[in-house]
Amino acid sequence: MTTLYLVRHGETIDNKAQIMQGQTQGELNETGRQQARELSEKMRAERIDAFVSSDLHRSVETCEIIARPHQKPVVQTPLLRERDWGSFTGRFIPDLKDVEWPDDIETLEKMQSRARNFLTWLKVTYPDQTVLAVGHGIINKAVQSVYFRKPMSEIHRMTNAEVRVLVLG
């Protein structure tokens, strides 16, 4: 069985400013770096065989900080990228409250398909290993939705640098 420590990246400049980041690179702010350092300290004694991250900078940086004491590289995958918010990307989130969604936003079905592919890739690539993977709020919801076989609306939102443990049979 593969054990997955699923992590959301640390707080970013755009998180703090309530900007829809989507698949932009994003950058951790000092709070986000501190969250990653604190999580690194908590995970220091855990046996972690591999570190995996979304290929977006905010997740890669978070994962590199957490992986540092383990002296292991971070493997990047686009499967863990955040939802593509299309023309909502870069917009101030409170301004989008009553706005009709454009057609260029990635569907929940496509996200769940990516999540399913990620979990399959993980089991095949890291059988019987422990993997810490850093993703994003909504793709992490999709991963858990597939894992628990529940609608995404029933998965609680992850906070920055939060960890959830999934055991893949």
Side-chain angles (χ1 to χ4, degrees):
M1 290 195 285
T2 301
T3 300
L4 170 61
Y5 290 112
L6 185 64
V7 178
R8 182 179 175 202
H9 62 77
E11 184 181 83
T12 66
I13 293 166
D14 284 346
N15 287 150
K16 186 75 173 166
Q18 297 185 69
I19 301 298
M20 188 72 77
Q21 294 176 99
Q23 295 190 356
T24 61
Q25 292 298 323
E27 183 175 339
L28 297 181
N29 60 19
E30 191 45 47
T31 299
R33 288 186 188 97
Q34 183 59 35
Q35 290 168 332
R37 286 190 294 267
E38 287 172 7
L39 185 53
S40 175
E41 208 40 55
K42 284 182 193 168
M43 302 303 287
R44 178 184 289 275
E46 297 294 325
R47 184 186 65 81
I48 300 172
D49 300 301
F51 291 84
V52 174
S53 172
S54 151
D55 61 350
L56 299 177
H57 180 73
R58 60 194 187 264
S59 288
V60 173
E61 184 179 4
T62 300
C63 199
E64 286 174 343
I65 292 168
I66 298 166
R68 201 167 289 139
H70 298 267
Q71 298 180 334
K72 295 197 175 173
V74 172
V75 176
Q76 298 177 34
T77 176
L79 293 173
L80 272 182
R81 276 188 182 180
E82 183 57 298
R83 184 179 201 175
D84 183 350
W85 284 103
S87 52
F88 274 3
T89 302
R91 303 266 312 266
F92 184 56
I93 294 169
D95 288 349
L96 303 174
K97 187 174 183 245
D98 297 315
V99 176
E100 187 175 326
W101 282 32
D103 292 336
D104 61 357
I105 292 175
E106 183 177 13
T107 65
L108 295 182
E109 292 76 25
K110 281 188 179 174
M111 285 191 54
Q112 288 177 314
S113 176
R114 272 199 294 129
R116 200 170 290 106
N117 289 342
F118 169 72
L119 290 172
T120 300
W121 172 78
L122 205 64
K123 286 191 287 189
V124 169
T125 308
Y126 302 102
D128 300 318
Q129 295 184 49
T130 299
V131 179
L132 184 140
V134 180
H136 307 265
I138 298 175
I139 190 62
N140 285 4
K141 259 189 159 192
V143 168
Q144 294 171 85
S145 167
V146 169
Y147 176 81
F148 290 113
R149 295 184 174 95
K150 290 183 172 185
M152 285 180 59
S153 59
E154 291 182 22
I155 306 296
H156 292 291
R157 178 181 177 272
M158 291 180 78
T159 57
N160 291 110
E162 181 181 341
V163 181
R164 298 202 179 149
V165 181
L166 309 178
V167 178
L168 313 175

